[in-house]
Amino acid sequence: AFYFKMPYIVPLLAGLYCSFTSIIPITLGVLIWSYIPVIQGLAATTPTAGLNVTEMPGTFTEVYTSLVNSLTLTQSWLFTAFIFAMVVITVRVVSRLAIDFSKEIAILLGVVLNIFGFILQILVAGESVDMLIVVLVSILCGAFAEVIRLFDSVLDYQRAESVQFEDEHNFYYVRVVPKVILSKRKRSVRRIRPQTPDDEE
């Protein structure tokens, strides 16, 4: 998603279709993507002589030190991972509420939270993020998430019902929202045959 410049769709879809534990792989993905340039720079500057068995510990120490230093100096990935985690939690909680259009509201709140999260990142951390691109891509990712949700199911809230019943041990309160199912038109076949002399009589 980062490669295609649309990373904001991942927390939206994770909140809709995955559990809270999806925050862990999302955070790892943000971390790895943020340090790909650092790793590429280390690979370019590390001497090939480091592949020698005797110099291998020194090479590993140099790589480890560079990664730890860059980890402590740049913390933009941490802000991004935190924003994505908040989006996942918000979308997950709101989409499970027993209200009409809960999934659509969850996607909208996720997009708004993503935009304001990155505005806060600019104000607090002084990160150089192009806000116009963040807003446009966030809205585009929200639209894609809604299209994917539409392929999942379309609900008919006009026919929603609240049902309650009981058994020996419990009372049950159930909200039933039927899916929209397109009915096929029945074909009526009429046979047309030419008139015979018997029909004319």
Side-chain angles (χ1 to χ4, degrees), residues 114-134:
N114 187 74
I115 292 171
F116 280 105
F118 281 100
I119 289 174
L120 190 65
Q121 179 180 354
I122 293 171
L123 296 176
V124 173
E127 297 289 336
S128 58
V129 179
D130 191 347
M131 236 10 260
L132 181 61
I133 292 178
V134 170

Side-chain angles (χ1 to χ4, degrees), residues 14 25 51 73 77 86 88 95 103 110 120 124 138 145 165 180 195:
L51 295 176
L73 289 175
W77 73 272
M86 292 298 102
V88 170
S95 66
K103 293 184 185 296
L120 190 65
V124 173
S138 296
F165 54 92
V180 174
Q195 280 188 334

Side-chain angles (χ1 to χ4, degrees), residues 85-118:
M86 292 298 102
V87 171
V88 170
I89 292 170
T90 303
V91 172
R92 175 79 181 169
V93 169
V94 175
S95 66
R96 299 300 185 271
L97 295 178
I99 58 174
D100 291 352
F101 305 102
S102 61
K103 293 184 185 296
E104 290 86 348
I105 294 170
I107 292 172
L108 180 63
L109 285 177
V111 170
V112 171
L113 182 62
N114 187 74
I115 292 171
F116 280 105
F118 281 100

Side-chain angles (χ1 to χ4, degrees), residues 2-175:
F2 273 110
Y3 181 79
F4 291 107
K5 311 297 183 189
M6 294 187 65
Y8 313 131
I9 196 170
V10 175
L12 293 174
L13 294 180
L16 285 175
Y17 298 109
C18 303
S19 64
F20 293 117
T21 55
S22 61
I23 294 172
I24 298 170
I26 289 174
T27 302
L28 290 175
V30 171
L31 175 64
I32 290 169
W33 180 260
S34 300
Y35 285 97
I36 284 177
V38 176
I39 295 169
Q40 288 175 339
L42 286 172
T45 57
T46 302
T48 55
L51 295 176
N52 193 332
V53 176
T54 57
E55 298 184 11
M56 201 172 282
T59 304
F60 280 134
T61 304
E62 181 184 343
V63 170
Y64 175 77
T65 306
S66 301
L67 284 174
V68 170
N69 289 339
S70 60
L71 190 68
T72 54
L73 289 175
T74 60
Q75 295 172 345
S76 62
W77 73 272
L78 196 56
F79 279 99
T80 303
F82 178 76
I83 293 167
F84 284 0
M86 292 298 102
V87 171
V88 170
I89 292 170
T90 303
V91 172
R92 175 79 181 169
V93 169
V94 175
S95 66
R96 299 300 185 271
L97 295 178
I99 58 174
D100 291 352
F101 305 102
S102 61
K103 293 184 185 296
E104 290 86 348
I105 294 170
I107 292 172
L108 180 63
L109 285 177
V111 170
V112 171
L113 182 62
N114 187 74
I115 292 171
F116 280 105
F118 281 100
I119 289 174
L120 190 65
Q121 179 180 354
I122 293 171
L123 296 176
V124 173
E127 297 289 336
S128 58
V129 179
D130 191 347
M131 236 10 260
L132 181 61
I133 292 178
V134 170
V135 171
L136 292 178
V137 174
S138 296
I139 293 172
L140 186 63
C141 289
F144 275 132
E146 177 60 20
V147 169
I148 293 170
R149 191 209 62 76
L150 280 175
F151 279 108
D152 179 28
S153 65
V154 180
L155 302 180
D156 187 0
Y157 290 102
Q158 293 180 346
R159 295 191 295 135
E161 297 178 1
S162 293
V163 181
Q164 51 182 318
F165 54 92
E166 63 176 297
D167 60 13
E168 295 178 359
H169 305 288
N170 301 300
F171 280 95
Y172 299 93
Y173 297 93
V174 181
R175 180 170 168 78

